[in-house]
Amino acid sequence: MFKIIHAQFLAPGIKRFVIEAPRIARKQKPGQFVILRIYEEGERIPVTIENSDPEKGTINIVVQSAGKTTTLLNSLETGGSILDVVGPLGKPSEIRNYGTAVVVGGGVGTAMAYPTAAALKRAGNRVISIVGARNKELVILEPEMREVSDALMITTDDGSYADRGFVTDKLRQLIENGTRIDLVVAVGPIVMMKAVSELTRKENIHTVVSLNPIMIDGTGMCGGCRVLIDGKSEFACVDGPEFDGHKVDFSVLVQRNAMYRDSEQRSMEEYRAKSAAVDPTSRNTGEKWGTQRDYVCAVQGEKR
Amino acid sequence: MSPTASKSKNPLSPKDRMKVPRQLMPEQPAEVRAHNFEEVNLGYSEELAQQEALRCLECAKPTCTDNCPVGIDVKEFVQRIVVGDFLGAAAKIREANVLPAVTGRVCPQEDQCEGKCLLSKKVKPLGIGYLERFVADYEQRMGTHIVPSAPPTGKKVAVVGSGPSGLTVAGDLIQKGHRVRVFEALHEIGGVLVYGIPEFRLPKQIVREQIGYMRQMGVEFETDVVVGRTITIDELLEEEGYDAVYIGTGAGLPQFMSIPGEHLNGVYSANEFLTRINLMKAYKFPIYDEPMLDLHGKDVAVIGGGNTALDSIRSALRLGARKAYVIYRRSDTEMPARAEEVHHAKQEGIDFQMLTAPVEFLSDGKGWLTAARCVRMELGEPDASGRRRPVPKAGSEFDLPLSVAIIAIGTTANPIVQSTTPGLDTNKRGYIQASEDTQRTTRKGVFAGGDIVTGAATVILAMGAGRRAAKSIHEYLTTGVW
């Protein structure tokens, strides 16, 4: 059992958890993630580590409600617990002084981009960060990113905050302005990472992306997280999650991540129906779901 | 094992013993079990066990024991069955083997103890595996484990990985009075016994009971620890005060064939397919959250001829597959799977496509598998492994319609421990170098065994390595000499 010391929404549907996990907190490095399982019947899902505090023995994770497990997770509160948390997994980001690094965070991916940006800054890089979100409410970690960046640019798809547009617009501007860029790190939705990689490929700028394939054990055993890199199978859990963006076959990643869409939808619908039955006031906001305990009771009631 | 000097309790003459037929293992009918995950074999009754035990010739030099990777005193435990001392038989086995209920079910006995049974020269060999399983289950039912204890030595050993070799090391060392803590990366203890081998061959309850017994003996377990990531070998030795470490991290990442279409949806590695089913209980979706593709009415094939391949395809059949194929590039005689599993699989209606290999996976144009393009093979000259090399037959291509293909052609070394432990040497395939008799690695105080040293092998070979390691760890802890 891993105790939730603190839980707080950063944006609608995006929640930060401070979790007691002393072993992981001691070892976490930028670019790594954890796998967690909320309860006995739960699935294992990979989740971003935003930060850690080795002194206090805690890690911060940031979760966006998408399917059942993430929605259920985001219904957990301070004082609750998560059955299993394992990590830190994956290879850490390769941190050194590249010169000028552009760190691009899209949506909840900003949480994983943040520790990498901070580490690059500490290593002496000039860090230019670009944060993109669908709208104003979904811009997360702005003060944190500002603190570790020499310059911070923000875009929203709908223009409700900062500049209207996509992160690639800002990156293109930088390139067109003749800014010398030695490294681009992009973490976010697959389409975003693909667009960034296509843009930098033409300019021959080394680009690192953090991939999020379907994963089960996360420890180099099952092979579920295989991705196609330069025509060869690699495994995101032990060879990644960061890869050279110019070598990633993004269309295979998109296709494989859709493999269980039907099951995922079914899980989510049943979860919604049950949470509504448990707590009639709950709405589809990702914030007002019935508690985990209520939900687990409902599921177990059905099994009996 | 020292040869036993006790006088025979067997009332039959050696000649009469050969007239007793090998007692058949009661099993679920094939047409019933093909649709459930319950265990196939039902186990001997006391009567059947005693009848079978009578067949033992009590050889002066038992070759069965010589051929057992952990050296079980077969003759002695079988004699105890003859006289009805089933708990005594179990205790005898436990001297050499901490997981008898497991090995009685999953060992390839035909290649080991039973393969060298003197009876097999004239009639069928003694059912040693069945008898081992019987006494282990009997002991479990009686709930009367004898928990051995030794005075504490004050030494601490960390075991990395809770599969068969790690459990063996833990079980042997706790009996010597050392403190033992087992670190497991997954959320459940048992390694391949829980994520790999399916319920119908090894019920998870059996594994849990065996582990419960180890807890009783004082073994500590910690799940959710990936050694190499969560904590390193050096930190275990230097910061957490362990006097020795045993690495038994098991088989690593699955191999693929590097043929076109391997990334299509519907193409699984056997490890992923089995992990979803066994560890994550995806066959109970949506009660369990882990999903898997619905196999009802679908055509499924496994590529490979080992136990993992058969476990995968028989699981697919139980999940509703309409047609279930084994595609293997060599012939029956080269198949590495246990003979009993091949026999059971055939009874259940698995279609064996021998001397066949896929060359490409075909798609519907939307990223989903629709067929495997295969070629027929013929056997040519022997290759490096001594087996005849399969060679494609010209013009033999055909398409086998499939919704799901499971690739079970082996694994490679998991790199996590090796890459985070300076001074730990590996061979050119990435497996940890360890001495064959002492299981010592190139790092002082660090031992290794099982699949992470040999590459993918069997449960019992991993346990054999565990036994040797426990012996040599004990020596090291006692003498301090490396």
Side-chain angles (χ1 to χ4, degrees), chain B residues 158-181:
Chain B
V159 173
V160 183
S162 68
S165 84
L167 290 177
T168 300
V169 170
D172 282 4
L173 288 178
I174 201 85
Q175 295 185 48
K176 301 280 191 199
H178 306 300
R179 242 186 97 186
V180 183
R181 191 173 183 84

Side-chain angles (χ1 to χ4, degrees), chain A residues 178-189:
Chain A
T179 311
R180 183 195 153 89
I181 303 172
D182 302 293
L183 169 76
V184 171
V185 178
V187 193

Side-chain angles (χ1 to χ4, degrees), chain A residues 23 26-27 39 41 44 68 84 87-88 219-222 224 226 228 233 238 255-256 260 267 303, chain B residues 187 222 224 229-230 235 239-240 253 256 262-263 265 267-269 271-272 276 285 287 289 367 414:
Chain A
R23 285 197 194 278
R26 278 185 59 192
K27 302 291 286 187
Y39 65 124
E41 290 85 0
R44 294 168 66 98
K68 172 181 167 180
D84 296 286
T219 68
M221 184 272 287
C222 86
R226 68 188 196 271
L228 202 53
S233 278
V238 291
Q255 165 215 309
R256 285 184 57 81
Y260 297 104
S267 273
K303 270 197 293 188
Chain B
H187 57 256
E222 185 172 344
D224 296 329
R229 295 259 194 254
T230 315
E235 286 162 347
E239 293 171 25
E240 304 229 344
L253 285 159
F256 289 89
E262 250 173 351
H263 283 78
N265 291 357
V267 180
Y268 281 102
S269 74
N271 279 11
E272 181 189 354
R276 284 183 183 274
F285 180 87
I287 299 292
D289 290 336
N414 185 320

Side-chain angles (χ1 to χ4, degrees), chain B residues 44-106:
Chain B
Y44 275 164
S45 62
E46 292 176 25
E47 294 71 29
L48 280 175
Q50 285 192 286
Q51 189 72 8
E52 180 64 24
L54 282 176
R55 300 178 63 233
C56 179
L57 295 175
E58 298 171 63
C59 306
K61 284 185 184 155
T63 45
C64 46
T65 297
D66 294 346
N67 274 282
C68 173
V70 296
I72 293 174
D73 188 346
V74 175
K75 183 167 102 174
E76 177 59 25
F77 100 73
V78 172
Q79 278 207 54
R80 292 184 185 187
I81 297 175
V82 169
V83 297
D85 178 14
F86 304 134
L87 289 176
K92 192 77 218 166
I93 297 174
R94 282 197 178 276
E95 287 175 10
N97 176 358
V98 295
L99 300 169
V102 172
T103 49
R105 288 172 164 83
V106 305

